[in-house]
Amino acid sequence: MATVAEALNLALDHHLSGRLEEARQLYGRILAADPDNPHALHFGGLLAAQTGAVADGVAMIRKAAARLPLAADVHGNLGKALMALGTPEGAAQAAAAFRNLLALHPDGAGDWFALGGALIEAGDGAPAHRALTRALTASAATDSEPLAEAFERAGMRLYAAADWTGATDAFRKARGLAPQRAEAHRKLGAALAQTGDPEGAVEALTEALRLDPTLAEAQANLVHLLVTLGRFGDAERAGRRAVVLDPGNADAYGNMVPLLEQTVRVAEALRQCARATRIAPERAAFHRNRLSLLLHEGRRDEAVAAGREAIRLAPADAEAHLALAVALLASGRLREGWEEFEWRWETRQLDPVHRGFPQPQWTGTEDVAGRTILLYAEQGLGDTLQFVRYAPLLAGRGARVIVGCSPALARLMERVDGVSAAVAWGGELPAFDLHIPMMSLPRAFGTDLDSIPAAVPYLRADPADVAAWRERVPADGRLRVGLVWAGSPRTVRGVASPIDRRRSLPLAALAPLADVAGVRFVSLQMGPGAAQLAEPPAGMDIADPMAGVRDFADTAALAATLDLVITVDTSVCHLAGGLGRPTWTLSRADACWRWLGNREANPWYPTMRVFGQDRSGDWSGVVARLRAALTDFVAARGHVS
């Protein structure tokens, strides 16, 4: 009678020779006589998995692995059988089996590759990437094409998990292993775009298109990247090619919208947006883009409707909620707007300023009497100047108010009624009980159009500083009019922000004001725009004292010596308005929400007049109205020379 060992050898011979039924019967007889025989369990399980009984095979090999914990090949075959189940759970269990194998033999490139593949199928992108990297370093002989594909799959998992850095590294490895794979370059470009590297993304996508000019998605993705870099001509050519390559691709039209909006072709942008929406009506982003375009045209009610549709389609889309907030605020529906505006913290744009304080945020309902509350700046300087107006209201409720802000504002913030201390970012904050970001204050106070705290001045210059500035720019009997014609460029990689391009104008465009008699202009202009003072408009008498300005407290003191401030929509309009100075704000056609569609009278600043463009990019009508208003202003003040 044959021994178990002899029977097992015969069964293996049948198995390896392709006599599978004979092998199956013999494995069965061995296990009937010796149910725990690990070798029969192992090989019988392999045969079961090979012939379609995968679950039975997994169960048998699992028993063999329990009895032969140091047998690397058993763990490896268990992993392969588990992968054959084709389920994420099976892949996760396979990864555990491959890890057991690698604990015994850690230098097998193929085994690391198998672990990486299992982790990809299990949805664990980061560990998969690490395993594949070990496979890459374990043996230079590893077949590069399958490994490149595996890195691509791991990269896609990382990309889906918003691990942009990990995805970028994975796609770079895929590209290095298979540099002729256009898809590797395309995916790398997509990941680089998410990391904030538009130049690298454009380079990768351009190479993808060189290898495969028919990649419509790569062509479409180039558009918004080139817009970011200010390469509008290249962006438009890329957009046109994307439409030709795939006329049914909604993104081919949708990605053209920001380009057309920034180059002030709003009507065409709306048409492209409509095409994208017809192809993919369920895409919330297209409705969100339409909202922005409708606001540009002053169609605020339609913009609100577009925002609501975007949120219906994507209730958790923070960008859609923020866009709706802007439309609601611009329409004067402030209370609902403030609620939606809280979604700004769920977007990526505020990540650099999100403060993770352990103290609770004040919501407006908690009693603040006897407690210290930190109001902190979150966005632009103008936003801080506008919303610090709530500090006296908090102080009136018995709170001790501290302001955290830019160093440029700290000295001015200390003089706001109700503010006990102002701390420049980077300085040590005193102890506090509660905190609230500045732009959440209107929500906390339930502010609507009828309850805006608009008492001015709430900003106050130091009287000693005001006296010093009167001496530096002495009066001569003419009206003193401050001028600001350009905002901060807020450049990103050398490209000015599109909003700044629209809100600023050249000093030369204000030349008609030089004809108004009885005026001496005083520059309040900072930044690159100040260089235009080297060649002021003919006949414009304009002093430039800004070299002596250290911070906004100095600018406030200088503004306090002026009869009128004329400024584009930048921080100075909030400064002058908060000081209660007569302020004329020049606003682009697609006005900031706080100007309520360029109403001439603004509820935030009772001493302000808003002069809005009739047509985007055209300042001529605004300047003509300014000249007429300035002539009347001088006449009313009796300062005609």
Side-chain angles (χ1 to χ4, degrees):
M1 180 177 180
T3 65
V4 169
E6 290 171 337
L8 187 61
N9 284 332
L10 180 58
L12 276 171
D13 183 59
H14 287 317
H15 192 165
L16 296 173
S17 299
R19 296 185 294 276
L20 302 185
E21 180 57 26
E22 291 88 336
R24 185 188 64 77
Q25 291 180 9
L26 193 48
Y27 287 139
R29 288 199 292 271
I30 294 169
L31 289 170
D34 183 5
D36 294 326
N37 186 292
H39 303 293
L41 286 167
H42 178 203
F43 296 122
L46 277 178
L47 179 57
Q50 289 168 354
T51 55
V54 179
D56 292 340
V58 165
M60 293 171 70
I61 302 171
R62 198 189 298 280
K63 289 180 182 178
R67 287 159 178 75
L68 297 173
L70 300 181
D73 60 331
V74 178
H75 293 293
N77 285 331
L78 175 59
K80 293 173 185 175
L82 285 162
M83 288 296 292
L85 291 172
T87 65
E89 182 182 358
Q93 294 176 16
F98 291 134
R99 284 196 172 103
N100 289 333
L101 163 62
L102 287 161
L104 297 166
H105 295 294
D107 297 324
D111 299 330
W112 283 106
F113 179 78
L115 174 59
L119 289 166
I120 290 170
E121 297 307 316
D124 292 336
H129 183 203
R130 291 193 291 271
L132 293 169
T133 300
R134 281 293 298 268
L136 184 61
T137 57
S139 172
T142 300
D143 192 348
S144 62
E145 188 73 17
L147 188 53
E149 293 177 5
F151 269 117
E152 282 186 29
R153 295 202 308 276
M156 292 305 293
R157 292 286 187 183
L158 293 163
Y159 190 96
D163 182 354
W164 316 122
T165 301
T168 296
D169 189 49
F171 292 138
R172 276 205 174 102
K173 287 189 172 75
R175 181 184 65 174
L177 287 161
Q180 296 308 306
R181 284 176 63 84
E183 273 296 301
H185 293 275
R186 184 191 69 76
K187 291 169 182 171
L188 175 60
L192 286 168
Q194 294 291 352
T195 65
D197 181 6
E199 293 98 336
V202 166
E203 181 181 350
L205 292 172
T206 301
E207 179 62 12
L209 287 163
R210 186 189 70 78
L211 293 166
D212 184 356
T214 67
L215 284 177
E217 188 173 354
Q219 196 74 68
N221 289 342
L222 266 179
V223 181
H224 78 274
L225 292 165
L226 291 166
V227 170
T228 299
L229 295 172
R231 294 166 55 182
F232 297 136
D234 291 340
E236 185 147 358
R237 284 187 288 275
R240 304 301 178 200
R241 284 195 292 268
V243 170
V244 170
L245 285 171
D246 189 359
N249 182 351
D251 285 327
Y253 304 99
N255 286 354
M256 286 290 288
V257 171
L259 164 68
L260 295 166
E261 183 179 11
Q262 290 189 29
T263 52
V264 201
R265 288 177 282 172
V266 179
E268 185 180 353
L270 278 167
R271 287 194 294 274
Q272 296 283 35
C273 199
R275 291 187 182 108
T277 305
R278 279 197 297 273
I279 295 170
E282 76 290 348
R283 291 275 293 278
F286 297 147
H287 297 277
R288 191 176 74 223
N289 289 343
R290 184 167 178 268
L291 179 155
S292 175
L293 295 167
L294 292 166
L295 278 184
H296 205 121
E297 292 207 326
R299 295 156 62 181
R300 292 181 289 281
D301 289 343
E302 292 176 73
V304 168
R308 295 199 195 285
E309 178 63 9
I311 290 169
R312 185 188 69 78
L313 292 166
D317 184 343
E319 296 287 353
H321 282 279
L322 185 55
L324 176 59
V326 171
L328 289 165
L329 294 172
S331 303
R333 299 177 228 183
L334 300 192
R335 290 206 179 203
E336 187 182 357
W338 303 132
E339 293 297 326
E340 294 290 342
F341 199 60
E342 288 301 299
W343 280 84
R344 69 194 184 279
W345 298 109
E346 302 300 320
T347 67
R348 295 177 62 192
Q349 67 185 42
L350 289 184
D351 286 350
V353 296
H354 203 171
R355 312 265 172 186
F357 296 121
Q359 296 90 337
Q361 179 170 325
W362 186 63
T363 65
T365 60
E366 303 86 350
D367 185 8
V368 294
R371 307 176 79 182
T372 299
I373 183 166
L374 171 68
L375 314 186
Y376 67 91
E378 57 176 274
Q379 298 189 47
L381 298 170
D383 298 316
T384 305
L385 291 164
Q386 179 176 3
F387 293 106
V388 75
R389 69 180 66 218
Y390 287 90
L393 302 185
L394 279 165
R397 295 188 181 189
R400 178 174 180 266
V401 179
I402 300 169
V403 170
C405 61
S406 162
L409 290 171
R411 206 158 60 94
L412 181 62
M413 293 294 102
E414 289 175 344
R415 298 190 59 81
V416 174
D417 288 346
V419 173
S420 297
V423 180
W425 291 132
E428 184 176 352
L429 287 169
F432 58 92
D433 304 301
L434 300 162
H435 67 86
I436 185 169
M438 288 272 189
M439 298 186 77
S440 291
L441 284 163
R443 174 177 177 265
F445 278 93
T447 301
D448 56 26
L449 282 177
D450 297 324
S451 62
I452 291 173
V456 293
Y458 60 87
L459 300 176
R460 289 180 173 81
D462 185 327
D465 288 346
V466 174
W469 280 103
R470 286 193 190 281
E471 290 190 10
R472 290 189 190 188
V473 190
D476 62 2
R478 292 179 292 175
L479 283 181
R480 295 147 59 87
V481 177
L483 282 186
V484 179
W485 52 91
S488 169
R490 299 180 187 175
T491 56
V492 178
R493 292 177 175 84
V495 180
S497 76
I499 286 180
D500 187 64
R501 288 195 297 271
R502 297 201 297 274
R503 71 176 174 174
S504 300
L505 72 163
L507 176 59
L510 297 175
L513 303 186
D515 296 337
V516 179
V519 173
R520 186 186 188 195
F521 293 102
V522 178
S523 172
L524 300 177
Q525 181 67 52
M526 296 288 280
Q532 298 173 39
L533 285 164
E535 297 183 21
M540 179 176 283
D541 179 9
I542 183 165
D544 180 19
M546 295 302 287
V549 167
R550 296 165 293 170
D551 58 12
F552 272 83
D554 275 335
T555 307
L558 175 55
T561 71
L562 304 176
D563 298 291
L564 171 67
V565 174
I566 299 175
T567 174
V568 294
D569 180 5
T570 187
S571 55
V572 173
C573 74
H574 299 285
L575 175 70
L579 289 166
R581 305 306 301 161
T583 306
W584 295 353
T585 296
L586 284 60
S587 176
R588 64 187 194 271
D590 58 318
C592 175
W593 58 264
R594 66 200 84 206
W595 308 137
L596 297 167
N598 284 335
R599 294 186 194 176
E600 184 172 335
N602 184 266
W604 292 97
Y605 298 107
T607 63
M608 180 182 289
R609 288 176 66 183
V610 176
F611 291 75
Q613 286 180 334
D614 296 321
R615 187 172 69 252
S616 190
D618 180 10
W619 289 107
S620 60
V622 170
V623 174
R625 281 183 278 135
L626 273 178
R627 186 184 183 285
L630 185 58
T631 301
D632 293 342
F633 188 84
V634 173
R637 295 295 181 99
H639 283 266
V640 178
S641 59

PDB file of all heavy atoms in Angstrom, residues 218-245:
ATOM      1  N   ALA A 218      -6.250  65.531 -22.147  1.00  0.00           N
ATOM      2  CA  ALA A 218      -5.030  66.300 -21.879  1.00  0.00           C
ATOM      3  C   ALA A 218      -5.133  67.681 -22.509  1.00  0.00           C
ATOM      4  O   ALA A 218      -4.728  68.687 -21.916  1.00  0.00           O
ATOM      5  CB  ALA A 218      -3.812  65.550 -22.412  1.00  0.00           C
ATOM      6  N   GLN A 219      -5.673  67.746 -23.722  1.00  0.00           N
ATOM      7  CA  GLN A 219      -5.819  69.029 -24.403  1.00  0.00           C
ATOM      8  C   GLN A 219      -6.770  69.940 -23.637  1.00  0.00           C
ATOM      9  O   GLN A 219      -6.507  71.135 -23.448  1.00  0.00           O
ATOM     10  CB  GLN A 219      -6.341  68.802 -25.820  1.00  0.00           C
ATOM     11  CG  GLN A 219      -6.177  69.991 -26.739  1.00  0.00           C
ATOM     12  CD  GLN A 219      -4.740  70.197 -27.174  1.00  0.00           C
ATOM     13  OE1 GLN A 219      -4.186  69.395 -27.909  1.00  0.00           O
ATOM     14  NE2 GLN A 219      -4.124  71.266 -26.721  1.00  0.00           N
ATOM     15  N   ALA A 220      -7.872  69.381 -23.152  1.00  0.00           N
ATOM     16  CA  ALA A 220      -8.847  70.179 -22.402  1.00  0.00           C
ATOM     17  C   ALA A 220      -8.250  70.674 -21.089  1.00  0.00           C
ATOM     18  O   ALA A 220      -8.474  71.821 -20.678  1.00  0.00           O
ATOM     19  CB  ALA A 220     -10.103  69.362 -22.140  1.00  0.00           C
ATOM     20  N   ASN A 221      -7.484  69.804 -20.412  1.00  0.00           N
ATOM     21  CA  ASN A 221      -6.904  70.199 -19.130  1.00  0.00           C
ATOM     22  C   ASN A 221      -5.836  71.265 -19.264  1.00  0.00           C
ATOM     23  O   ASN A 221      -5.566  72.010 -18.310  1.00  0.00           O
ATOM     24  CB  ASN A 221      -6.317  68.970 -18.422  1.00  0.00           C
ATOM     25  CG  ASN A 221      -7.387  68.029 -17.916  1.00  0.00           C
ATOM     26  OD1 ASN A 221      -8.546  68.413 -17.787  1.00  0.00           O
ATOM     27  ND2 ASN A 221      -7.021  66.798 -17.649  1.00  0.00           N
ATOM     28  N   LEU A 222      -5.230  71.341 -20.435  1.00  0.00           N
ATOM     29  CA  LEU A 222      -4.228  72.384 -20.665  1.00  0.00           C
ATOM     30  C   LEU A 222      -4.825  73.784 -20.542  1.00  0.00           C
ATOM     31  O   LEU A 222      -4.134  74.723 -20.143  1.00  0.00           O
ATOM     32  CB  LEU A 222      -3.624  72.237 -22.063  1.00  0.00           C
ATOM     33  CG  LEU A 222      -2.329  71.444 -22.212  1.00  0.00           C
ATOM     34  CD1 LEU A 222      -1.921  71.415 -23.669  1.00  0.00           C
ATOM     35  CD2 LEU A 222      -1.207  72.051 -21.375  1.00  0.00           C
ATOM     36  N   VAL A 223      -6.086  73.920 -20.861  1.00  0.00           N
ATOM     37  CA  VAL A 223      -6.679  75.245 -20.993  1.00  0.00           C
ATOM     38  C   VAL A 223      -6.595  76.029 -19.690  1.00  0.00           C
ATOM     39  O   VAL A 223      -6.050  77.134 -19.637  1.00  0.00           O
ATOM     40  CB  VAL A 223      -8.143  75.159 -21.472  1.00  0.00           C
ATOM     41  CG1 VAL A 223      -8.735  76.551 -21.615  1.00  0.00           C
ATOM     42  CG2 VAL A 223      -8.220  74.417 -22.801  1.00  0.00           C
ATOM     43  N   HIS A 224      -7.137  75.457 -18.605  1.00  0.00           N
ATOM     44  CA  HIS A 224      -7.174  76.236 -17.364  1.00  0.00           C
ATOM     45  C   HIS A 224      -5.774  76.452 -16.802  1.00  0.00           C
ATOM     46  O   HIS A 224      -5.501  77.450 -16.136  1.00  0.00           O
ATOM     47  CB  HIS A 224      -8.088  75.569 -16.341  1.00  0.00           C
ATOM     48  CG  HIS A 224      -7.498  74.398 -15.630  1.00  0.00           C
ATOM     49  ND1 HIS A 224      -7.543  73.132 -16.138  1.00  0.00           N
ATOM     50  CD2 HIS A 224      -6.837  74.314 -14.435  1.00  0.00           C
ATOM     51  CE1 HIS A 224      -6.947  72.303 -15.298  1.00  0.00           C
ATOM     52  NE2 HIS A 224      -6.498  72.990 -14.266  1.00  0.00           N
ATOM     53  N   LEU A 225      -4.839  75.514 -17.080  1.00  0.00           N
ATOM     54  CA  LEU A 225      -3.458  75.691 -16.622  1.00  0.00           C
ATOM     55  C   LEU A 225      -2.803  76.867 -17.337  1.00  0.00           C
ATOM     56  O   LEU A 225      -2.104  77.686 -16.724  1.00  0.00           O
ATOM     57  CB  LEU A 225      -2.664  74.411 -16.862  1.00  0.00           C
ATOM     58  CG  LEU A 225      -3.083  73.215 -16.008  1.00  0.00           C
ATOM     59  CD1 LEU A 225      -2.506  71.929 -16.575  1.00  0.00           C
ATOM     60  CD2 LEU A 225      -2.638  73.418 -14.574  1.00  0.00           C
ATOM     61  N   LEU A 226      -3.009  76.951 -18.632  1.00  0.00           N
ATOM     62  CA  LEU A 226      -2.428  78.054 -19.400  1.00  0.00           C
ATOM     63  C   LEU A 226      -3.056  79.391 -19.003  1.00  0.00           C
ATOM     64  O   LEU A 226      -2.379  80.421 -18.981  1.00  0.00           O
ATOM     65  CB  LEU A 226      -2.608  77.782 -20.898  1.00  0.00           C
ATOM     66  CG  LEU A 226      -1.772  76.612 -21.436  1.00  0.00           C
ATOM     67  CD1 LEU A 226      -2.254  76.200 -22.818  1.00  0.00           C
ATOM     68  CD2 LEU A 226      -0.289  76.982 -21.473  1.00  0.00           C
ATOM     69  N   VAL A 227      -4.334  79.369 -18.649  1.00  0.00           N
ATOM     70  CA  VAL A 227      -4.972  80.588 -18.147  1.00  0.00           C
ATOM     71  C   VAL A 227      -4.310  81.017 -16.843  1.00  0.00           C
ATOM     72  O   VAL A 227      -4.019  82.192 -16.619  1.00  0.00           O
ATOM     73  CB  VAL A 227      -6.488  80.374 -17.945  1.00  0.00           C
ATOM     74  CG1 VAL A 227      -7.106  81.546 -17.199  1.00  0.00           C
ATOM     75  CG2 VAL A 227      -7.173  80.201 -19.292  1.00  0.00           C
ATOM     76  N   THR A 228      -4.061  80.050 -15.955  1.00  0.00           N
ATOM     77  CA  THR A 228      -3.399  80.340 -14.681  1.00  0.00           C
ATOM     78  C   THR A 228      -2.053  81.017 -14.905  1.00  0.00           C
ATOM     79  O   THR A 228      -1.653  81.909 -14.148  1.00  0.00           O
ATOM     80  CB  THR A 228      -3.190  79.037 -13.884  1.00  0.00           C
ATOM     81  OG1 THR A 228      -4.459  78.457 -13.621  1.00  0.00           O
ATOM     82  CG2 THR A 228      -2.472  79.296 -12.576  1.00  0.00           C
ATOM     83  N   LEU A 229      -1.362  80.594 -15.946  1.00  0.00           N
ATOM     84  CA  LEU A 229      -0.044  81.161 -16.246  1.00  0.00           C
ATOM     85  C   LEU A 229      -0.126  82.441 -17.071  1.00  0.00           C
ATOM     86  O   LEU A 229       0.900  83.011 -17.432  1.00  0.00           O
ATOM     87  CB  LEU A 229       0.803  80.120 -16.992  1.00  0.00           C
ATOM     88  CG  LEU A 229       1.162  78.866 -16.183  1.00  0.00           C
ATOM     89  CD1 LEU A 229       1.819  77.827 -17.073  1.00  0.00           C
ATOM     90  CD2 LEU A 229       2.075  79.226 -15.024  1.00  0.00           C
ATOM     91  N   GLY A 230      -1.348  82.878 -17.379  1.00  0.00           N
ATOM     92  CA  GLY A 230      -1.506  84.102 -18.154  1.00  0.00           C
ATOM     93  C   GLY A 230      -1.228  83.941 -19.630  1.00  0.00           C
ATOM     94  O   GLY A 230      -1.117  84.937 -20.356  1.00  0.00           O
ATOM     95  N   ARG A 231      -1.135  82.702 -20.101  1.00  0.00           N
ATOM     96  CA  ARG A 231      -0.845  82.440 -21.517  1.00  0.00           C
ATOM     97  C   ARG A 231      -2.178  82.267 -22.254  1.00  0.00           C
ATOM     98  O   ARG A 231      -2.573  81.180 -22.659  1.00  0.00           O
ATOM     99  CB  ARG A 231       0.043  81.209 -21.642  1.00  0.00           C
ATOM    100  CG  ARG A 231       1.428  81.419 -21.056  1.00  0.00           C
ATOM    101  CD  ARG A 231       2.206  80.126 -20.866  1.00  0.00           C
ATOM    102  NE  ARG A 231       2.318  79.343 -22.081  1.00  0.00           N
ATOM    103  CZ  ARG A 231       2.929  78.154 -22.141  1.00  0.00           C
ATOM    104  NH1 ARG A 231       3.461  77.635 -21.049  1.00  0.00           N
ATOM    105  NH2 ARG A 231       2.980  77.489 -23.280  1.00  0.00           N
ATOM    106  N   PHE A 232      -2.879  83.382 -22.413  1.00  0.00           N
ATOM    107  CA  PHE A 232      -4.242  83.326 -22.917  1.00  0.00           C
ATOM    108  C   PHE A 232      -4.321  82.862 -24.368  1.00  0.00           C
ATOM    109  O   PHE A 232      -5.225  82.118 -24.742  1.00  0.00           O
ATOM    110  CB  PHE A 232      -4.914  84.694 -22.765  1.00  0.00           C
ATOM    111  CG  PHE A 232      -5.051  85.135 -21.332  1.00  0.00           C
ATOM    112  CD1 PHE A 232      -4.755  86.433 -20.960  1.00  0.00           C
ATOM    113  CD2 PHE A 232      -5.462  84.261 -20.348  1.00  0.00           C
ATOM    114  CE1 PHE A 232      -4.872  86.843 -19.653  1.00  0.00           C
ATOM    115  CE2 PHE A 232      -5.581  84.656 -19.033  1.00  0.00           C
ATOM    116  CZ  PHE A 232      -5.286  85.958 -18.685  1.00  0.00           C
ATOM    117  N   GLY A 233      -3.374  83.287 -25.186  1.00  0.00           N
ATOM    118  CA  GLY A 233      -3.384  82.849 -26.584  1.00  0.00           C
ATOM    119  C   GLY A 233      -3.195  81.352 -26.704  1.00  0.00           C
ATOM    120  O   GLY A 233      -3.925  80.671 -27.445  1.00  0.00           O
ATOM    121  N   ASP A 234      -2.207  80.804 -25.959  1.00  0.00           N
ATOM    122  CA  ASP A 234      -1.985  79.356 -25.971  1.00  0.00           C
ATOM    123  C   ASP A 234      -3.207  78.627 -25.427  1.00  0.00           C
ATOM    124  O   ASP A 234      -3.584  77.563 -25.923  1.00  0.00           O
ATOM    125  CB  ASP A 234      -0.763  79.002 -25.119  1.00  0.00           C
ATOM    126  CG  ASP A 234       0.540  79.486 -25.736  1.00  0.00           C
ATOM    127  OD1 ASP A 234       0.548  79.749 -26.948  1.00  0.00           O
ATOM    128  OD2 ASP A 234       1.542  79.602 -25.001  1.00  0.00           O
ATOM    129  N   ALA A 235      -3.820  79.196 -24.392  1.00  0.00           N
ATOM    130  CA  ALA A 235      -4.999  78.564 -23.793  1.00  0.00           C
ATOM    131  C   ALA A 235      -6.135  78.485 -24.802  1.00  0.00           C
ATOM    132  O   ALA A 235      -6.832  77.460 -24.897  1.00  0.00           O
ATOM    133  CB  ALA A 235      -5.438  79.346 -22.558  1.00  0.00           C
ATOM    134  N   GLU A 236      -6.328  79.539 -25.547  1.00  0.00           N
ATOM    135  CA  GLU A 236      -7.430  79.531 -26.512  1.00  0.00           C
ATOM    136  C   GLU A 236      -7.173  78.513 -27.614  1.00  0.00           C
ATOM    137  O   GLU A 236      -8.079  77.781 -28.027  1.00  0.00           O
ATOM    138  CB  GLU A 236      -7.622  80.924 -27.107  1.00  0.00           C
ATOM    139  CG  GLU A 236      -8.821  80.998 -28.027  1.00  0.00           C
ATOM    140  CD  GLU A 236      -9.495  82.361 -27.994  1.00  0.00           C
ATOM    141  OE1 GLU A 236      -9.049  83.241 -27.229  1.00  0.00           O
ATOM    142  OE2 GLU A 236     -10.462  82.532 -28.737  1.00  0.00           O
ATOM    143  N   ARG A 237      -5.928  78.424 -28.082  1.00  0.00           N
ATOM    144  CA  ARG A 237      -5.611  77.431 -29.115  1.00  0.00           C
ATOM    145  C   ARG A 237      -5.830  76.010 -28.573  1.00  0.00           C
ATOM    146  O   ARG A 237      -6.365  75.149 -29.275  1.00  0.00           O
ATOM    147  CB  ARG A 237      -4.170  77.613 -29.599  1.00  0.00           C
ATOM    148  CG  ARG A 237      -3.998  78.810 -30.528  1.00  0.00           C
ATOM    149  CD  ARG A 237      -2.606  78.860 -31.130  1.00  0.00           C
ATOM    150  NE  ARG A 237      -1.609  79.235 -30.134  1.00  0.00           N
ATOM    151  CZ  ARG A 237      -1.306  80.497 -29.815  1.00  0.00           C
ATOM    152  NH1 ARG A 237      -1.939  81.496 -30.419  1.00  0.00           N
ATOM    153  NH2 ARG A 237      -0.374  80.761 -28.926  1.00  0.00           N
ATOM    154  N   ALA A 238      -5.420  75.771 -27.330  1.00  0.00           N
ATOM    155  CA  ALA A 238      -5.619  74.455 -26.725  1.00  0.00           C
ATOM    156  C   ALA A 238      -7.108  74.143 -26.609  1.00  0.00           C
ATOM    157  O   ALA A 238      -7.546  73.011 -26.866  1.00  0.00           O
ATOM    158  CB  ALA A 238      -4.952  74.397 -25.355  1.00  0.00           C
ATOM    159  N   GLY A 239      -7.889  75.136 -26.230  1.00  0.00           N
ATOM    160  CA  GLY A 239      -9.324  74.932 -26.097  1.00  0.00           C
ATOM    161  C   GLY A 239      -9.989  74.591 -27.408  1.00  0.00           C
ATOM    162  O   GLY A 239     -10.851  73.703 -27.480  1.00  0.00           O
ATOM    163  N   ARG A 240      -9.593  75.292 -28.469  1.00  0.00           N
ATOM    164  CA  ARG A 240     -10.187  75.009 -29.786  1.00  0.00           C
ATOM    165  C   ARG A 240      -9.822  73.595 -30.235  1.00  0.00           C
ATOM    166  O   ARG A 240     -10.637  72.873 -30.807  1.00  0.00           O
ATOM    167  CB  ARG A 240      -9.707  76.028 -30.822  1.00  0.00           C
ATOM    168  CG  ARG A 240      -9.951  77.488 -30.485  1.00  0.00           C
ATOM    169  CD  ARG A 240     -11.412  77.805 -30.273  1.00  0.00           C
ATOM    170  NE  ARG A 240     -11.596  79.212 -29.907  1.00  0.00           N
ATOM    171  CZ  ARG A 240     -12.668  79.691 -29.310  1.00  0.00           C
ATOM    172  NH1 ARG A 240     -13.673  78.893 -29.014  1.00  0.00           N
ATOM    173  NH2 ARG A 240     -12.764  80.972 -29.001  1.00  0.00           N
ATOM    174  N   ARG A 241      -8.565  73.179 -29.993  1.00  0.00           N
ATOM    175  CA  ARG A 241      -8.150  71.824 -30.386  1.00  0.00           C
ATOM    176  C   ARG A 241      -8.916  70.774 -29.585  1.00  0.00           C
ATOM    177  O   ARG A 241      -9.270  69.714 -30.106  1.00  0.00           O
ATOM    178  CB  ARG A 241      -6.637  71.656 -30.191  1.00  0.00           C
ATOM    179  CG  ARG A 241      -5.806  72.340 -31.272  1.00  0.00           C
ATOM    180  CD  ARG A 241      -4.371  71.855 -31.249  1.00  0.00           C
ATOM    181  NE  ARG A 241      -3.669  72.281 -30.046  1.00  0.00           N
ATOM    182  CZ  ARG A 241      -2.962  73.399 -29.933  1.00  0.00           C
ATOM    183  NH1 ARG A 241      -2.860  74.218 -30.966  1.00  0.00           N
ATOM    184  NH2 ARG A 241      -2.339  73.695 -28.810  1.00  0.00           N
ATOM    185  N   ALA A 242      -9.170  71.057 -28.299  1.00  0.00           N
ATOM    186  CA  ALA A 242      -9.897  70.100 -27.461  1.00  0.00           C
ATOM    187  C   ALA A 242     -11.291  69.848 -28.010  1.00  0.00           C
ATOM    188  O   ALA A 242     -11.771  68.705 -28.023  1.00  0.00           O
ATOM    189  CB  ALA A 242      -9.978  70.622 -26.022  1.00  0.00           C
ATOM    190  N   VAL A 243     -11.952  70.886 -28.480  1.00  0.00           N
ATOM    191  CA  VAL A 243     -13.300  70.742 -29.042  1.00  0.00           C
ATOM    192  C   VAL A 243     -13.251  69.919 -30.323  1.00  0.00           C
ATOM    193  O   VAL A 243     -14.113  69.066 -30.571  1.00  0.00           O
ATOM    194  CB  VAL A 243     -13.924  72.128 -29.294  1.00  0.00           C
ATOM    195  CG1 VAL A 243     -15.214  71.995 -30.091  1.00  0.00           C
ATOM    196  CG2 VAL A 243     -14.181  72.840 -27.975  1.00  0.00           C
ATOM    197  N   VAL A 244     -12.231  70.151 -31.154  1.00  0.00           N
ATOM    198  CA  VAL A 244     -12.104  69.393 -32.404  1.00  0.00           C
ATOM    199  C   VAL A 244     -11.862  67.916 -32.108  1.00  0.00           C
ATOM    200  O   VAL A 244     -12.438  67.029 -32.751  1.00  0.00           O
ATOM    201  CB  VAL A 244     -10.957  69.972 -33.262  1.00  0.00           C
ATOM    202  CG1 VAL A 244     -10.657  69.060 -34.442  1.00  0.00           C
ATOM    203  CG2 VAL A 244     -11.326  71.366 -33.758  1.00  0.00           C
ATOM    204  N   LEU A 245     -11.002  67.644 -31.105  1.00  0.00           N
ATOM    205  CA  LEU A 245     -10.666  66.259 -30.781  1.00  0.00           C
ATOM    206  C   LEU A 245     -11.852  65.492 -30.231  1.00  0.00           C
ATOM    207  O   LEU A 245     -12.020  64.303 -30.511  1.00  0.00           O
ATOM    208  CB  LEU A 245      -9.513  66.224 -29.758  1.00  0.00           C
ATOM    209  CG  LEU A 245      -8.125  66.543 -30.290  1.00  0.00           C
ATOM    210  CD1 LEU A 245      -7.141  66.688 -29.132  1.00  0.00           C
ATOM    211  CD2 LEU A 245      -7.655  65.447 -31.243  1.00  0.00           C
TER     212      LEU A 245
END
